Amino acid sequence: MTPSTSARTSFDAVTLEVIWTRLVSVVDEAAAALVRTSFSTLVRESYDFSCIVTDRKGRCLGQATDSIPSFIGTLPKTVRHFLDHFPVETLKPGDVLITNDPWMGTGHLPDLTVAKPLFRDGKLIGFAASTTHSPDMGGRTGTTDIRDVFEEGLQVPMLKLIDAGKVDQTFLAMLRKNVRVPDLVVGDLFAQVSALELVERRLFDLMRDYELDELDSLADEILSRSEAAMRSTIRAFPDGSYDYTLQTDGLIEPVTIQIRVIVDGDSVLVDYAGTSPQVDRALNVALCYTYAQTVYGLKCILAPDLPNNDGALAPIEVTAPEGSILNHTYPASGQTRTLVGHFLPFAVFGAMSAATPERVAAGPGSPLWSMQAAGVDDQGRTYVNKFFFNGGTGGTSRRDGYNVLSWPSNISCVPIEMMEQQSNFRVLHKRLRIGSSGAGRYRGGLGQECLLEYQGERPVVVGFHAERTLHAPPGLCGGEDGVPGVLEVNGRALEPHEQKVQHVIRQGDRIHMKTPGGAGFGAKAERSGEAIAADARQGYVAAPTRLAAE
């Protein structure tokens, strides 16, 4: 029997679960359509995107399963920024809003966020929204050697990409003129728009099936239950202040991340006072991204199975001093903010390991490594290729870390065949980096080795994102550190500042990337003989005979 309209203000548990599951299926279907219709490998192969649906206040109700954690944390806030900029009375059916403002979006310009106001019977009932990492946004690319946001590329203020169904052709012309790969950029953008339209259709089907005239009452129910569940979980943790400090390789000087997690009753405050000040290079992290990565780490610990929405995150507050590298001010650049921001979930783990070691993981071999190549092909056309290379994850209290797996961002590696098809690089080998994991009761996951040779006749400009080559992934609870990464060009290991800037690569040059292994959890002496023997059989250790004897 179809629920009556009165169910809008009172949802029984079964009906609520069915509706919420269908909400997730709506955005999952839209995400699948986005992947199938996208033009770039960033979306199609690496899944660097998110899709959500919100109520009319911009409160997130459901997210696509494949969405990356950082975008999930930033996207609902961007929808609310849209609402602040565009009064409801200025929105119309057929509108699509767009921006890449770093402080209101995800922290850097390459991420384009679009949102479609959803109208039913002439009334605004919610938003479908998506963020994708665009293959190019002009400006300098693939390097930390950027001093302000103006060097990053084209800034897209909050505007209407589509106004009542009419596409802004002037904006599209400007966008195409400012990027190196206009067909890929615009192709991905309209794949996003198509995904939003699919969300709209499927959501209206759901509302019709359950006779829902609006989403606010459903949102109130879902969010209040999620918040109550999260607060109950927090109350189970001992009150206290938990500190942790870690260092990143940085550029010339390391970056210090100082975190304090304060558990007080049914709420959590995370404070980054004492963290390094912002820099005049592109390592800075906007507060929106700091928030997203921090709450992700906390939710992994507190309630990983709880539906991820604004209610579940309501009891968490995140602060960082203005002018610090985790809350930088305009117009400083955050183009390569992942090289600092990806440390934050583990910083949370490090702080909380004293209170709940059974729920955290040792240091991962991230931030995510990547290589971006930009140049001109033999036909005189500009191109950009970006490829990701994952390290290993850290061991936990229950299992070994995963080999070559992205964390905290669930980015996929681009297949070898696609790399060679899309670029002039030949992959000479791509294999597990034996012996790179930190030992422990549960060892870390292995990193990878990838050897590339450039075969193009024209030189190409390559920018790298590499970290943890000086400061190894740290072990927890007596586990050993993971093995630091190594980045070589023509056999020479690059210094930390060289690993984050552009290089001119010519025909025959070779790039060798050895990503970090994950750290171990627990003392090495506690590792079982069966696990040691399995490592030896699988060839995961550099000297299996010696390790087995120990």
Side-chain angles (χ1 to χ4, degrees):
M1 186 173 81
T2 302
S4 66
T5 304
S6 62
R8 291 188 295 108
T9 56
S10 179
F11 296 88
D12 65 84
V14 173
T15 301
L16 188 65
E17 177 68 17
V18 171
I19 294 176
W20 185 79
T21 302
R22 279 194 59 178
L23 274 174
V24 174
S25 72
V26 165
V27 283
D28 275 350
E29 184 179 353
L34 172 58
V35 170
R36 288 196 303 268
T37 57
S38 62
F39 283 50
S40 76
T41 58
L42 284 165
V43 177
R44 190 176 67 247
E45 303 292 343
S46 297
Y47 283 58
D48 200 348
F49 71 89
S50 66
C51 291
I52 66 169
V53 62
T54 80
D55 68 358
R56 64 186 179 91
K57 300 174 185 176
R59 298 180 297 175
C60 180
L61 292 175
Q63 65 186 42
T65 305
D66 290 327
S67 298
I68 67 171
S70 60
F71 289 172
I72 293 169
T74 60
L75 187 48
K77 289 179 176 290
T78 306
V79 172
R80 294 194 285 274
H81 286 309
F82 278 132
L83 278 167
D84 291 338
H85 188 81
F86 294 99
V88 171
E89 59 271 17
T90 68
L91 299 175
K92 303 180 288 294
D95 284 352
V96 174
L97 316 177
I98 185 171
T99 191
N100 68 353
D101 185 300
W103 289 268
M104 297 184 185
T106 72
H108 72 170
L109 295 184
D111 296 332
L112 282 174
T113 295
V114 292
K116 181 177 177 60
L118 306 177
F119 287 85
R120 195 161 189 262
D121 298 328
K123 296 180 180 180
L124 178 70
I125 56 97
F127 290 85
S130 170
T131 301
T132 64
H133 187 156
S134 179
D136 189 55
M137 203 46 60
R140 302 194 68 189
T141 185
T143 178
T144 58
D145 193 22
I146 298 173
R147 295 184 182 272
D148 59 36
V149 69
F150 300 101
E151 291 188 53
E152 288 188 34
L154 180 66
Q155 298 182 62
V156 181
M158 293 203 161
L159 52 80
K160 290 187 178 182
L161 169 65
I162 303 176
D163 189 350
K166 184 178 181 180
V167 175
D168 186 339
Q169 297 296 338
T170 301
F171 167 73
L172 284 185
M174 182 172 291
L175 177 63
R176 293 184 65 90
K177 190 66 173 179
N178 278 274
V179 298
R180 297 172 179 86
V181 281
D183 289 345
L184 270 62
V185 171
V186 175
D188 279 5
L189 177 57
F190 278 92
Q192 287 180 269
V193 172
S194 296
L196 303 187
E197 292 173 346
L198 182 57
V199 170
E200 182 178 46
R201 294 196 299 273
R202 295 294 185 263
L203 179 64
F204 287 171
D205 288 343
L206 183 156
M207 295 178 71
R208 183 185 63 249
D209 290 347
Y210 284 87
E211 297 185 359
L212 299 172
D213 296 325
E214 39 74 42
L215 293 178
D216 287 1
S217 54
L218 177 65
D220 290 341
E221 189 76 15
I222 290 175
L223 301 184
S224 63
R225 289 187 182 222
S226 297
E227 181 175 350
M230 178 61 84
R231 291 192 183 277
S232 176
T233 299
I234 295 171
R235 280 194 295 270
F237 278 77
D239 285 358
S241 179
Y242 305 96
D243 296 354
Y244 190 75
T245 303
L246 62 83
Q247 285 193 318
T248 80
D249 295 349
L251 295 172
I252 303 300
E253 299 291 335
V255 172
T256 297
I257 296 174
Q258 177 67 51
I259 185 174
R260 171 167 291 175
V261 181
I262 302 171
V263 180
D264 183 10
D266 63 356
S267 64
V268 178
L269 169 65
V270 181
D271 183 23
Y272 287 102
T275 293
S276 293
Q278 69 183 59
V279 295
D280 65 347
R281 295 296 188 272
L283 287 177
N284 301 297
V285 185
L287 187 59
C288 57
Y289 195 83
T290 295
Y291 168 84
Q293 293 288 9
T294 302
V295 296
Y296 169 65
L298 274 171
K299 190 172 183 303
C300 287
I301 295 172
L302 297 170
D305 297 324
L306 189 66
N308 198 60
N309 53 49
D310 282 336
L313 305 181
I316 302 171
E317 181 183 357
V318 179
T319 65
E322 187 175 21
S324 72
I325 203 166
L326 296 181
N327 184 9
H328 72 292
T329 57
Y330 178 87
S333 174
Q335 172 80 356
T336 58
R337 83 267 193 264
T338 57
L339 291 172
V340 173
H342 274 191
F343 282 96
L344 302 185
F346 176 72
V348 173
F349 281 14
M352 297 297 285
S353 62
T356 177
E358 73 281 0
R359 296 194 183 192
V360 302
S366 63
L368 185 69
W369 283 36
S370 68
M371 182 188 86
Q372 183 159 304
V376 181
D377 65 19
D378 294 338
Q379 287 73 44
R381 296 171 301 194
T382 54
Y383 66 88
V384 178
N385 302 120
K386 189 175 182 70
F387 305 119
F388 296 104
F389 302 88
N390 299 327
T393 66
T396 73
S397 64
R398 294 184 295 277
R399 58 156 294 142
D400 294 338
Y402 293 96
N403 300 329
V404 191
L405 184 69
S406 171
W407 192 88
S409 189
N410 54 326
I411 297 296
S412 301
C413 293
V414 176
I416 291 173
E417 298 83 356
M418 189 59 64
M419 289 176 61
E420 294 187 335
Q421 181 192 54
Q422 296 289 321
S423 73
N424 284 321
F425 284 95
R426 182 178 181 185
V427 182
L428 302 182
H429 69 242
K430 192 170 189 282
R431 61 198 182 202
L432 293 177
R433 188 184 176 198
I434 304 304
S436 60
S437 62
R441 181 168 73 249
Y442 292 101
R443 61 165 176 79
L446 298 175
Q448 65 176 300
E449 292 187 33
C450 187
L451 180 60
L452 307 174
E453 182 177 274
Y454 183 63
Q455 299 186 328
E457 294 183 0
R458 298 190 183 196
V460 62
V461 176
V462 173
F464 299 106
H465 289 179
E467 253 288 348
R468 289 204 189 277
T469 60
L470 291 181
H471 296 82
L476 285 181
C477 300
E480 296 184 3
D481 294 347
V483 176
V486 178
L487 174 57
E488 299 174 343
V489 175
N490 293 329
R492 184 179 73 85
L494 302 184
E495 297 295 326
H497 68 279
E498 296 178 295
Q499 298 163 5
K500 303 175 179 70
V501 296
Q502 294 175 335
H503 298 259
V504 177
I505 302 298
R506 295 177 170 82
Q507 190 174 47
D509 287 350
R510 290 189 172 188
I511 297 169
H512 199 180
M513 283 172 282
K514 306 173 187 179
T515 63
F521 187 100
K524 175 182 174 180
E526 299 173 357
R527 188 162 180 81
S528 70
E530 181 181 350
I532 292 173
D535 287 342
R537 286 195 309 271
Q538 295 170 324
Y540 284 173
V541 291
T545 302
R546 177 179 61 81
L547 289 176
E550 292 176 354

Coordinates of all heavy atoms in Angstrom, one line a residue, residues 10 86 105 117 127 134 269 297 334 377 393 433 448 487 496 512:
S10 N 5.6 11.9 9.8 CA 5.8 10.8 10.7 C 6.2 9.6 9.9 O 5.3 9.0 9.3 CB 4.6 10.6 11.6 OG 4.8 9.5 12.4
F86 N 22.2 33.5 -4.3 CA 21.0 33.6 -5.1 C 19.8 33.5 -4.2 O 19.4 32.4 -3.8 CB 21.0 32.5 -6.2 CG 22.1 32.6 -7.2 CD1 23.2 31.8 -7.1 CD2 22.0 33.4 -8.3 CE1 24.2 31.9 -8.0 CE2 23.0 33.5 -9.3 CZ 24.1 32.7 -9.1
G105 N 34.1 26.5 -2.3 CA 34.0 25.2 -3.0 C 34.8 24.2 -2.3 O 34.5 23.8 -1.2
P117 N 18.7 23.7 -8.9 CA 17.5 23.9 -8.0 C 16.3 23.0 -8.5 O 16.1 22.9 -9.8 CB 17.1 25.3 -8.1 CG 18.3 26.0 -8.7 CD 19.0 25.0 -9.6
F127 N 17.9 20.5 -4.0 CA 19.0 20.7 -5.0 C 19.6 19.3 -5.4 O 19.8 18.5 -4.5 CB 20.1 21.6 -4.5 CG 19.7 23.0 -4.3 CD1 19.1 23.5 -3.2 CD2 20.0 23.9 -5.3 CE1 18.7 24.8 -3.0 CE2 19.6 25.3 -5.2 CZ 19.0 25.7 -4.0
S134 N 38.1 19.0 -12.8 CA 38.2 19.3 -14.2 C 39.6 19.0 -14.7 O 40.6 19.2 -13.9 CB 37.9 20.8 -14.5 OG 38.0 21.1 -15.8
L269 N 35.1 18.9 19.4 CA 35.8 20.1 18.8 C 37.2 19.7 18.4 O 38.0 19.1 19.1 CB 35.9 21.2 19.8 CG 36.8 22.4 19.4 CD1 36.2 23.2 18.2 CD2 36.9 23.4 20.6
G297 N 37.7 11.8 8.8 CA 38.5 11.0 9.8 C 37.8 10.7 11.0 O 37.8 9.5 11.5
G334 N 45.8 27.6 -3.1 CA 45.6 26.3 -2.5 C 45.6 25.2 -3.6 O 45.0 24.1 -3.4
D377 N 50.6 18.5 -29.0 CA 50.9 17.3 -29.7 C 51.4 17.6 -31.2 O 51.6 18.8 -31.5 CB 49.6 16.4 -29.8 CG 48.5 17.0 -30.5 OD1 48.7 18.0 -31.3 OD2 47.3 16.6 -30.3
T393 N 48.1 1.5 2.4 CA 47.4 2.0 3.6 C 48.0 1.4 4.9 O 48.8 0.3 4.8 CB 45.9 1.7 3.6 OG1 45.7 0.3 3.7 CG2 45.3 2.3 2.3
R433 N 55.8 -2.6 -4.7 CA 57.1 -2.2 -4.2 C 57.4 -3.1 -3.0 O 57.0 -2.8 -1.9 CB 57.1 -0.7 -3.8 CG 58.5 -0.2 -3.5 CD 58.4 1.3 -3.0 NE 59.7 1.7 -2.5 CZ 59.8 2.8 -1.7 NH1 58.8 3.5 -1.3 NH2 61.1 3.2 -1.4
Q448 N 53.8 1.1 -4.7 CA 54.0 0.6 -6.0 C 55.3 1.2 -6.6 O 55.7 2.3 -6.2 CB 52.8 0.8 -6.9 CG 52.5 2.3 -7.1 CD 51.4 2.5 -8.1 OE1 51.4 2.1 -9.2 NE2 50.3 3.2 -7.6
L487 N 61.1 9.5 -5.8 CA 60.8 10.0 -7.1 C 62.1 10.4 -7.8 O 62.8 11.2 -7.4 CB 59.9 11.3 -7.0 CG 59.5 12.0 -8.3 CD1 58.8 11.0 -9.3 CD2 58.6 13.2 -8.1
P496 N 62.6 17.2 -2.0 CA 61.2 17.5 -1.7 C 60.6 18.7 -2.5 O 59.5 18.6 -3.1 CB 61.1 17.8 -0.2 CG 62.2 16.9 0.3 CD 63.3 17.0 -0.7
H512 N 60.7 7.5 -12.6 CA 60.6 6.3 -11.7 C 59.9 6.7 -10.4 O 60.5 7.5 -9.6 CB 61.9 5.6 -11.5 CG 61.8 4.2 -11.0 ND1 62.9 3.4 -10.7 CD2 60.7 3.4 -10.8 CE1 62.5 2.2 -10.3 NE2 61.2 2.2 -10.4

